């Protein structure tokens, strides 16, 4: 049977996603990734260049998945916020990866920061073009704040589930999540009406 490099890369990527989501960058082990991926450690270094770069590639790819599945525009914000909420619920690993990244990098630069920053700049340009910040002295700042607020409005629900449980005082987790989704969509509707 011929060696399938693409299949090996995919297995490494999937194993690394699970490993980093569970243990973070510092706690992750290349050995465990290699075993879970049915690959050797040399393949990981060959394809990804090491643990830091692999972690950066995993986070970037997860963010690109979400960016391609949900477009945040003022006109469709409530629906987009609902889809974003659903995406985070179905992919809890992204919030965990972002939290690990924040804990481990602090205020310092992160692996692959510049391409990710440029992607966010593209989203901000799209928002400005769609009218966010129209008439403001600094429409880019309005769009940046708008984007960051919407992302936080959704992601916080999954970053601190214990707070969701305590604040909502809801013993049924499914009911709590459904209630929060409804609230997020309504808040996004209000935000969309006041943004321009």
């Amino acid at each position: 049977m011929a060696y399938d490099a693409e299949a090996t890369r995919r297995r490494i990527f999937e194993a690394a996603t699970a490993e980093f989501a569970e243990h973070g960058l510092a706690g992750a082990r290349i050995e465990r990734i290699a075993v879970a991926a049915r690959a050797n450690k040399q393949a990981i270094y060959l394809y990804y260049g090491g643990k830091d770069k692999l972690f950066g590639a995993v986070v970037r790819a997860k963010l690109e998945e979400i960016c391609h599945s949900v477009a945040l525009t003022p006109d469709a914000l409530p629906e987009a916020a609902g889809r974003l909420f659903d995406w985070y619920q179905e992919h809890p690993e992204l919030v965990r990866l972002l939290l690990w990244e924040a804990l481990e990098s602090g205020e310092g630069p992160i692996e692959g920061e510049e391409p990710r920053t440029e992607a966010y700049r593209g989203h901000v340009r799209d928002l400005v073009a769609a009218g966010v910040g129209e008439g403001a002295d600094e429409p880019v700042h309005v769009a940046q704040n708008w984007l960051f607020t919407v992302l936080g409005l959704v992601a916080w629900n999954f970053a601190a589930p214990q707070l969701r449980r305590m604040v909502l005082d809801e013993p049924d987790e499914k009911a709590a999540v459904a209630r929060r989704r409804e609230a997020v969509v309504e808040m996004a509707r209000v935000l969309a009406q006041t943004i321009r």
Side-chain angles (χ1 to χ4, degrees):
M1 175 162 54
Y3 178 73
D4 186 344
E6 190 53 40
T8 302
R9 279 190 193 95
R10 208 170 26 257
R11 288 193 316 272
I12 290 169
F13 184 83
E14 289 168 5
T17 299
E19 178 75 8
F20 288 134
E22 185 172 343
H23 300 285
L25 176 58
R29 296 292 174 258
I30 291 292
E31 295 81 15
R32 286 194 300 249
I33 294 170
V35 168
R38 297 181 325 274
N40 61 48
K41 291 187 332 186
Q42 290 76 18
I44 294 171
Y45 290 106
L46 175 68
Y47 296 140
Y48 293 100
K51 191 165 79 164
D52 288 353
K53 289 184 180 183
L54 178 56
F55 181 82
V58 165
V59 174
R60 271 192 316 278
K62 290 313 234 177
L63 288 169
E64 285 174 14
E65 273 182 49
I66 196 168
C67 288
H68 293 303
S69 65
V70 178
L72 291 173
T73 62
D75 296 335
L77 179 60
E79 297 79 16
R83 285 194 309 275
L84 193 60
F85 190 99
D86 295 342
W87 196 96
Y88 272 103
Q89 187 177 7
E90 293 166 13
H91 300 88
E93 68 277 4
L94 177 58
V95 170
R96 292 183 59 91
L97 290 165
L98 292 172
L99 290 171
W100 279 117
E101 183 180 67
L103 286 169
E104 295 182 12
S105 68
E107 295 293 320
I110 57 170
E111 179 66 38
E113 183 166 335
E114 189 50 42
R116 282 171 55 190
T117 300
E118 190 50 44
Y120 287 119
R121 287 179 183 140
H123 293 302
V124 167
R125 285 190 295 271
D126 292 345
L127 289 169
V128 170
V132 173
E134 192 173 306
D137 290 340
E138 296 287 344
V140 168
H141 291 170
V142 173
Q144 289 167 332
N145 288 327
W146 190 88
L147 179 61
F148 194 74
T149 298
V150 171
L151 294 175
L153 178 66
V154 174
W156 185 246
N157 291 282
F158 304 102
Q162 76 281 17
L163 290 179
R164 181 182 66 221
R165 183 180 64 248
M166 290 184 280
V167 170
L168 297 184
D169 196 20
E170 176 69 69
D172 180 349
E173 185 177 342
K174 286 184 180 179
V177 170
R179 194 167 130 199
R180 280 304 302 154
R181 186 189 192 281
E182 199 174 296
V184 164
V185 169
E186 182 55 30
M187 289 177 203
R189 188 178 325 284
V190 171
L191 180 60
Q193 292 168 352
T194 62
I195 198 62
R196 292 182 184 176

